[in-house]
Amino acid sequence: MRKYSVFALAREAMRHHSGWEKHWTSPEPKSEYDVIIIGGGGHGMGAAYYLAKEHGITNIAVIEKGWIGGGNTGRNTTIVRSNYLYDESMDIYEHSLKLWEGLALDLNYNVMYSPRGVMMLSHNEHDRQTFKRHVHANRLYGIDNEWLTPEAAKEYCPPLDIAATARYPINGAALQRRAGTARHDAVVWGYGRAASDRGIHIIQNCEVKGIRRGPDGAVSGVETSKGFIGAKKIGVSASGHNSVVMAMADVSLPLESQPLQALVSEPLKPIFPCVVMSNTVHAYISQSDKGELVIGAGTDQYNSYSQTGGLQIVTHTLDAICELFPIFRRVKMMRQWGGITDNTPDRSPIQSITPVPGLFVNCGWGTGGFKATPGSAHLFAHLIAKGEPHKLAAGLTLDRYRTGRLIDEAAAAAVAH
Amino acid sequence: MLLIHCPYCGEARSELEFAGAGEAHIARPENITEVSDEDFAQYFFMRTNPKGIHYERWRHIHGCGRFFNAVRDTVSDRFLKTYKTGEPKPDRAEFEGEGR
Ligand SMILES: Cc1cc2nc3c(=O)[nH]c(=O)nc-3n(C[C@H](O)[C@H](O)[C@H](O)COP(=O)(O)OP(=O)(O)OC[C@H]3O[C@@H](n4cnc5c(N)ncnc54)[C@H](O)[C@@H]3O)c2cc1C
């Protein structure tokens, strides 16, 4: 694989860009691999990459039913941050944030990680207390997070309306400066390119339809739309479809798949310098490098695999955006879509061995797993290679639903991620 | 937005009047103090989360206020049936292949 660099750019500019290589190869599946990853999103593709890079396992297939990155990775609003409340969450999200910081260099691929700051608005006394608790917990743990007055918040994000007469008045904000955004599909493409370069097979348009098990109960491979493919280890990372895939091996999970919607506006000149989230009024917003305002809504209240949601959810979010940023009232929205998020009862993810030998699961990232892509992938690779969790993910196992040691970020983070 | 037929009010109303209340027909064990941690986790946390026919509870929160059950297809989001709490769980064969 040819390295990307400023010299490569100059060379290709001189010859009409005729020398760029394909990012990854598309081989026919072999009959057997050491490891199969189900789901070619950022988490699955990244796990394959780290298995090769850090554990020397390269005989791997990543099996994707559509195109890689076409699931939630390609549908999300790309907020990246690590200022969660509980130790288990801070461990994995901060691990991830650190990997984001060096990811473009590691992959030789511009993932457009942009630490432009994520500001979370506080609207009432409850918010203020909750966010201050977060700020203190984070700082004790060595994670940056600071409290801003409304004036400082306005300075950081000029379009914000902080008038005392506003529909949703603001009494402060929590700011994580190292947080920000990254380019959704670049992450999958970057991992895919680097994985393919290490000999990993990326098999697209291939749906897993069954998980075959031997007489001892252990996995022996998967039935797919391209026939049977063998493997002694299978890592499942299928986001909204995790329950469906794991049911193929009779494993039940504490998941409910719900629609989560987002929308983008027509492109505008640079106007919005950071990411702003308001959990209380259910809206989050940033501006993409193309100039579109990227806006995220809340989940619909029912289980669904339809990748669409109700319009009332989107309008509710736009109501809030227009109140917080009155200058956007006449901006036109261009596109709206939904993804299917797999939500756990404690709104924290699961990375775990399962009752089926050789079967590993990475699930429950729900509405907030994009930020965790590198960290989750890195730790999931460790789990698959070693058969036991890395210490940074030790609290995320399925066993917590039996022991009761939940990681209740739902209450703490007030819904949105 | 979904249109939901409340079996108590006998009318289809907008989703805004309703609150989704999760999977239906999950019976709380009667000997709750005796069940093992494994069985409790199964009852309390595990969900079938199917792609297709789903039995679920709704509450007509801004109407009669009552809980009822529904059969809905999670691929098309269409309601196949709503029925009163306590009525038997409809057999899924009833809904197979009817252009859901
Ligand atoms: C609208 C929206 C906004 C969001 N905003 C944010 C945000 O701002 N910040 C944040 O951190 N997170 C956000 N998220 C959540 C985030 O997108 C996900 O948690 C994360 O991208 C999940 O990555 P993944 O690789 O696990 O899943 P995916 O990218 O969904 O990959 C899973 C893949 O598995 C494949 N698959 C499924 N079944 C099969 C099968 N049977 N056989 C083969 N392949 C299969 C799918 O096709 C899919 O490509 C958002 C999500 C949505 C929907």
Side-chain angles (χ1 to χ4, degrees):
Chain A
M1 182 180 73
R2 280 223 191 88
K3 220 168 136 32
Y4 290 150
S5 67
V6 62
F7 303 108
L9 199 59
R11 185 188 70 224
E12 291 306 325
M14 303 290 279
R15 55 177 192 189
H16 305 289
H17 297 281
S18 57
W20 297 118
E21 297 170 316
K22 284 209 163 145
H23 276 34
W24 54 84
T25 57
S26 301
E28 282 306 306
K30 294 196 294 186
S31 59
E32 173 97 27
Y33 292 90
D34 292 341
V35 177
I36 285 175
I37 304 283
I38 304 177
H43 288 235
M45 195 59 81
Y49 167 73
Y50 291 116
L51 275 168
K53 183 184 174 216
E54 308 221 331
H55 305 281
I57 303 170
T58 55
N59 186 23
I60 303 174
V62 177
I63 302 183
E64 165 56 50
K65 74 175 164 137
W67 62 94
I68 66 168
N72 288 349
T73 305
R75 294 164 185 270
N76 88 100
T77 50
T78 73
I79 299 175
V80 173
R81 62 184 183 91
S82 67
N83 51 354
Y84 281 70
L85 183 61
Y86 293 108
D87 292 3
E88 292 87 346
S89 320
M90 285 192 274
D91 276 342
I92 192 160
Y93 291 112
E94 179 62 15
H95 179 57
S96 197
L97 192 58
K98 291 209 174 95
L99 286 172
W100 276 114
E101 287 167 345
L103 197 59
L105 272 182
D106 183 30
L107 298 178
N108 179 230
Y109 201 94
N110 189 359
V111 295
M112 295 166 78
Y113 163 61
S114 159
R116 59 184 67 181
V118 172
M119 194 162 78
M120 302 170 90
L121 301 179
S122 159
H123 297 285
N124 52 43
E125 186 54 23
H126 172 77
D127 282 356
R128 200 175 67 88
Q129 289 177 3
T130 311
F131 287 156
K132 285 206 163 174
R133 184 174 173 214
H134 276 67
V135 168
H136 296 316
N138 292 154
R139 294 176 78 156
L140 283 171
Y141 219 68
I143 293 174
D144 72 302
N145 195 5
E146 63 195 87
W147 177 254
L148 301 183
T149 61
E151 293 71 31
K154 169 97 181 155
E155 203 172 310
Y156 198 73
C157 183
L160 185 64
D161 181 11
I162 56 164
T165 51
R167 169 73 183 82
Y168 303 117
I170 288 152
N171 64 359
L175 172 67
Q176 184 176 31
R177 292 181 193 267
R178 286 160 63 235
T181 58
R183 172 70 198 266
H184 49 15
D185 27 41
V187 178
V188 190
W189 297 340
Y191 275 128
R193 174 168 167 270
S196 179
D197 187 47
R198 285 175 156 81
I200 290 166
H201 283 187
I202 299 173
I203 300 168
Q204 301 186 89
N205 299 310
C206 179
E207 181 173 357
V208 171
K209 297 177 176 245
I211 295 178
R212 201 186 281 182
R213 295 162 67 180
D216 56 349
V219 297
S220 62
V222 293
E223 317 285 350
T224 76
S225 48
K226 298 191 176 181
F228 176 77
I229 307 175
K232 298 269 179 303
K233 284 186 175 184
I234 298 175
V236 177
S237 191
S239 76
H241 282 77
N242 278 315
S243 296
V244 175
V245 173
M246 294 299 285
M248 297 170 189
D250 298 323
V251 177
S252 51
L253 293 170
L255 297 177
E256 292 191 291
S257 293
Q258 289 154 338
L260 180 66
Q261 301 179 74
L263 62 169
V264 292
S265 73
E266 58 191 337
L268 307 175
K269 288 193 174 162
I271 175 115
F272 205 78
C274 57
V275 181
V276 172
M277 306 176 66
S278 169
N279 293 344
T280 301
V281 298
H282 261 181
Y284 37 108
I285 176 169
S286 64
Q287 187 173 23
S288 75
D289 294 313
K290 277 194 285 182
E292 302 149 340
L293 297 176
V294 181
I295 296 171
T299 48
D300 282 83
Q301 56 175 338
Y302 48 84
N303 289 14
S304 174
Y305 288 84
S306 63
Q307 288 191 329
T308 59
L311 199 59
Q312 81 278 15
I313 305 282
V314 169
T315 49
H316 174 71
T317 292
L318 290 179
D319 287 349
I321 293 289
C322 291
E323 293 294 344
L324 294 171
F325 309 101
I327 61 165
F328 293 149
R329 279 191 183 157
R330 298 177 66 184
V331 172
K332 293 190 180 69
M333 291 299 134
M334 198 167 61
R335 283 181 289 123
Q336 164 272 348
W337 65 89
I340 300 302
T341 58
D342 55 333
N343 298 296
T344 58
D346 55 352
R347 293 297 185 269
S348 288
I350 298 167
Q351 249 187 31
S352 191
I353 57 167
T354 67
V356 177
L359 186 64
F360 304 89
V361 69
N362 173 53
C363 66
W365 289 99
T367 58
F370 177 74
K371 63 180 71 63
T373 304
S376 159
H378 186 244
L379 303 178
F380 193 41
H382 179 102
L383 177 69
I384 294 170
K386 310 270 186 216
E388 55 183 49
H390 189 282
K391 70 175 190 320
L392 293 177
L396 305 180
T397 59
L398 263 175
D399 201 41
R400 73 173 185 268
Y401 298 99
R402 185 184 61 81
T403 61
R405 208 184 151 75
L406 305 183
I407 310 161
D408 195 5
E409 289 287 348
V415 193
H417 278 254
Chain B
M1 195 189 312
L2 305 177
L3 256 188
I4 307 175
H5 182 268
C6 172
Y8 294 100
C9 301
E11 230 183 290
R13 308 287 298 177
S14 107
E15 185 193 335
L16 295 178
E17 292 187 8
F18 297 84
E23 189 167 348
H25 300 290
I26 298 176
R28 185 174 192 270
E30 293 193 351
N31 54 343
I32 196 83
T33 54
E34 288 148 37
V35 299
S36 66
D37 290 350
E38 284 74 17
D39 289 345
F40 183 80
Q42 192 64 36
Y43 146 72
F44 201 68
F45 293 119
M46 302 301 156
R47 295 294 176 260
T48 59
N49 195 22
K51 184 173 185 173
I53 290 177
H54 188 226
Y55 295 85
E56 60 193 22
R57 294 195 310 160
W58 286 84
R59 187 173 179 209
H60 195 181
I61 193 159
H62 298 298
C64 63
R66 301 184 75 167
F67 282 92
F68 59 90
N69 291 330
V71 186
R72 197 172 50 84
D73 185 336
T74 60
V75 178
S76 65
D77 288 336
R78 243 187 84 186
F79 278 89
L80 304 171
K81 184 171 191 165
T82 57
Y83 52 102
K84 293 178 182 166
T85 304
E87 285 179 6
K89 181 175 175 178
D91 188 350
R92 51 186 303 131
E94 230 182 274
F95 312 104
E96 299 292 357
E98 64 158 73
R100 302 186 331 239

